[in-house]
Amino acid sequence: MLLAFDTSSAAVTVALATPTGEIVASSTTVDALRHGELLAPAIAAALESVGITPRDLTGIAVGVGPGPFTGLRVGLVTARTMGEVLGIEVSGVCSLDILARQSSLSLPVAVATDARRKEIYWALYDGPAADGSRRRLEGPAVDKPAEVAHVLSGLPVIGRGAVLYGDVLGVADADVAEYPSADVLATGVATRTLEVVAPEPLYLRRPDVTMSAGPKSVL
């Protein structure tokens, strides 16, 4: 059984999937301040709902961001710790890729999520392939919405950024998927239609901030 979760946004989302990608349990709770309190109980509830224990897991999939450090760290520390204790593989996936995969449109799309400080994380994606996968064309990057509105112009925009800054980005309809879905993450990893990366936090340098050299430790 594959356990998947993402804490890169205000949502804590958890899912369990069979080796073929069938979702057997899932939950999503939106609370930007309680990732650390919500994730472990959500995982326990998912396991209990299908009558298995952590030892029955064969793999873990986790969203690696980009996202605010505190929430993102909760998911990655949990995934890496469980993987080490259980001796199973941990697969990371860019959280923007998850959102792009959630779109049912047969068109190229943009993804924009909330980076706080009135900024967005964004990326551009090609139209879906026959298996539903999408190729990332540009990004991920972090910018003020007004500074990249011309890049996203004319594309459907998926994510919380479209809701918060739809007027600036020129989004006609803000009724979109706001947060990455663990269901889509689990299915995408199980069916190999999402690109897998190392379970390391995807941090982005803000264009107006000088950061110290070297990556932050997630543990």
Side-chain angles (χ1 to χ4, degrees):
M1 197 75 71
L2 174 69
L3 170 65
F5 48 88
D6 184 285
T7 60
S8 67
S9 69
V12 174
T13 178
V14 175
L16 283 171
T18 66
T20 59
E22 178 186 357
I23 302 300
V24 296
S26 69
S27 68
T28 297
T29 303
V30 179
D31 189 330
L33 301 178
R34 298 178 61 223
H35 294 81
E37 299 174 44
L38 295 171
L39 181 57
I43 292 173
L47 296 172
E48 184 179 1
S49 71
V50 295
I52 64 173
T53 71
R55 290 291 174 186
D56 296 309
L57 297 174
T58 56
I60 297 172
V62 62
V64 300
F69 175 70
T70 302
L72 184 61
R73 181 177 182 274
V74 169
L76 285 164
V77 168
T78 300
R80 290 170 56 173
T81 301
M82 290 184 68
E84 182 174 349
V85 170
L86 298 172
I88 57 178
E89 183 178 7
V90 179
S91 302
V93 174
C94 172
S95 299
L96 302 187
D97 291 1
I98 302 169
L99 269 164
R101 185 72 171 78
Q102 286 170 227
S103 174
S104 61
L105 298 174
S106 59
L107 303 167
V109 298
V111 171
T113 61
D114 183 16
R116 302 182 183 174
R117 292 180 55 184
K118 297 184 178 180
E119 294 177 324
I120 57 171
Y121 299 118
W122 64 274
L124 304 181
Y125 295 84
D126 206 348
D131 61 4
S133 62
R134 289 182 183 268
R135 181 167 56 101
R136 194 184 327 135
L137 302 175
E138 188 172 348
V142 58
D143 288 285
K144 301 286 187 184
E147 294 172 354
V148 291
H150 67 288
V151 179
L152 278 57
S153 177
L155 292 173
V157 183
I158 313 300
R160 181 64 178 167
V163 177
L164 295 174
Y165 306 107
D167 54 340
V168 179
L169 299 174
V171 178
D173 185 358
D175 184 18
V176 297
E178 294 188 42
Y179 307 110
S181 164
D183 294 28
V184 173
L185 170 59
T187 299
V189 170
T191 60
R192 300 183 180 180
T193 53
L194 280 172
E195 180 183 0
V196 170
V197 298
E200 301 287 345
L202 177 54
Y203 295 120
L204 297 179
R205 183 186 299 272
R206 298 179 187 275
D208 60 340
V209 175
T210 300
M211 298 177 66
S212 60
K216 292 181 181 178
S217 173
V218 72
L219 294 176

